[in-house]
Amino acid sequence: MSTPARRRLMRDFKRLQEDPPTGVSGAPTDNNIMIWNAVIFGPHDTPFEDGTFKLTIEFTEEYPNKPPTVRFVSHMFHPNVYADGGICLDILQNRWSPTYDVSAILTSIQSLLSDPNPNSPANSMAAQLYKENRREYEKRVKACVEQSFID
Amino acid sequence: MADENDNDRIDDNQKPEKMFTLKKWNAVAMWSWDVECDTCAICRVQVMDACLRCQAESKKDSYGKQDCVVVWGECNHSFHYCCMSLWVKQNNRCPLCQQEWSIQRMGK
Ligand SMILES: [Zn+2]
Ligand SMILES: [Zn+2]
Ligand SMILES: [Zn+2]
């Protein structure tokens, strides 16, 4: 069965393979194109550097008119990531555009790691440390980076 | 003056031949659309082909081509009408430039 959403996801996957953005990768799970596994490598010159952070992306049949649900599987310490791995990012909520694809989603999340937005915190502790105690923030992030090797 | 006469004589005797005569000229211009204009950014299929929804729903022989039209907004961005009509129900803005969406023209 090939619905418009599934066909679009096949195109997303093709584009991701032909023109892979640096520092991210993703692929549909073996038996369901509506659920993807992805990895974001921590961007250079950030405390996330060297981390390999795993995510799941769940699409509905309304994709690309509705954004997918993206969640970190790896433990994260980031002002805009909830304790359950959910991500607070405008383009995945109210600023979603049906022109985005998996590449665009993953690269946006990658840039969120470099540039957190502490004004809309999903993790208030991380947001507070990011603003007030950068050294402690980086220490907590580094712990996540090390954890990401084991996961 | 002698010089001028000489020149005249040469001109009379050896009229410079035209290098060639242009009888027919076919202008060939190569052009292509910007990728962004050519491809519907919503379903990622060329706007001149049927959108993914029509491709999924119609039989292989028809491809739904006759119904799947292109729509241009005032911002000059183009999409399949099918793709855009679903999106504007949710947010009446152009998904590429975020301008208020209003249709400039429709067609193929
Ligand atoms: Zn389309
Ligand atoms: Zn269509
Ligand atoms: Zn536009």
Side-chain angles (χ1 to χ4, degrees):
Chain A
M1 191 186 63
S2 190
T3 59
R6 286 163 202 267
R7 283 167 183 250
R8 173 54 144 70
L9 286 167
M10 302 273 273
R11 278 169 189 264
D12 284 19
F13 186 42
K14 205 171 150 221
R15 181 168 167 222
L16 203 58
Q17 286 177 311
E18 285 172 357
D19 182 19
T22 44
V24 304
S25 74
T29 50
D30 284 343
N31 44 15
N32 189 354
I33 196 165
M34 306 301 279
I35 300 172
W36 289 45
N37 290 319
V39 174
I40 293 179
F41 300 95
H44 292 297
D45 302 320
T46 73
F48 293 93
E49 184 163 2
D50 299 329
T52 52
F53 305 105
K54 295 187 186 73
L55 306 96
T56 55
I57 315 175
E58 268 186 73
F59 299 88
T60 65
E61 291 291 351
E62 284 177 290
Y63 180 76
N65 286 304
K66 290 275 161 67
T69 306
V70 190
R71 202 177 285 281
F72 276 103
V73 179
S74 302
H75 174 68
M76 291 301 276
F77 187 76
H78 185 285
N80 308 110
V81 180
Y82 293 97
D84 68 355
I87 302 163
C88 181
L89 178 60
D90 55 359
I91 68 134
L92 291 177
Q93 280 103 27
N94 52 358
R95 286 195 48 229
W96 171 255
S97 160
T99 61
Y100 295 148
D101 64 357
V102 177
S103 284
I105 293 166
L106 291 175
T107 47
S108 303
I109 296 170
Q110 189 188 36
S111 65
L112 185 69
L113 296 186
S114 318
D115 295 305
N117 176 8
N119 298 321
S120 62
N123 177 337
S124 51
M125 168 74 96
Q128 198 187 345
L129 289 178
Y130 180 77
K131 284 193 282 193
E132 292 163 11
N133 187 348
R134 199 59 71 88
R135 181 176 294 212
E136 182 62 24
Y137 170 77
E138 290 181 0
K139 216 172 107 187
R140 299 278 201 104
V141 171
K142 290 265 162 62
C144 290
V145 171
E146 270 158 40
Q147 181 74 38
S148 78
F149 302 143
I150 304 158
D151 294 344
Chain B
M1 282 190 343
D3 280 350
E4 266 184 16
N5 286 341
D6 279 355
N7 278 350
D8 282 352
R9 208 168 300 133
I10 289 163
D11 277 354
D12 284 345
N13 297 342
Q14 309 177 345
K15 243 189 170 160
E17 293 269 324
K18 271 190 188 165
M19 297 288 284
F20 60 91
T21 312
L22 194 62
K23 285 182 178 149
K24 198 177 160 202
W25 183 45
N26 288 317
V28 178
M30 297 291 286
W31 58 275
S32 64
W33 289 105
D34 213 327
V35 174
E36 214 166 61
C37 301
D38 196 23
T39 305
C40 170
I42 299 175
C43 71
R44 310 263 165 168
V45 174
Q46 303 225 328
V47 285
M48 295 303 155
D49 292 337
C51 73
L52 281 186
R53 187 164 300 272
C54 289
Q55 285 184 22
E57 283 168 9
S58 69
K59 301 276 176 285
K60 268 208 167 132
D61 49 20
S62 75
Y63 274 105
K65 253 181 185 159
Q66 60 278 27
D67 323 310
C68 197
V69 294
V70 187
V71 62
W72 283 265
E74 289 297 342
C75 59
N76 278 319
H77 285 128
S78 59
F79 305 92
H80 293 111
Y81 179 76
C82 310
C83 296
M84 201 54 192
S85 60
L86 274 173
W87 172 247
V88 294
K89 272 189 222 160
Q90 196 175 313
N91 187 344
N92 195 42
R93 291 187 179 279
C94 171
L96 284 173
C97 64
Q98 310 301 322
Q99 279 185 52
E100 185 95 25
W101 178 254
S102 62
I103 294 174
Q104 184 197 88
R105 65 195 170 96
M106 266 166 77
K108 282 247 75 159

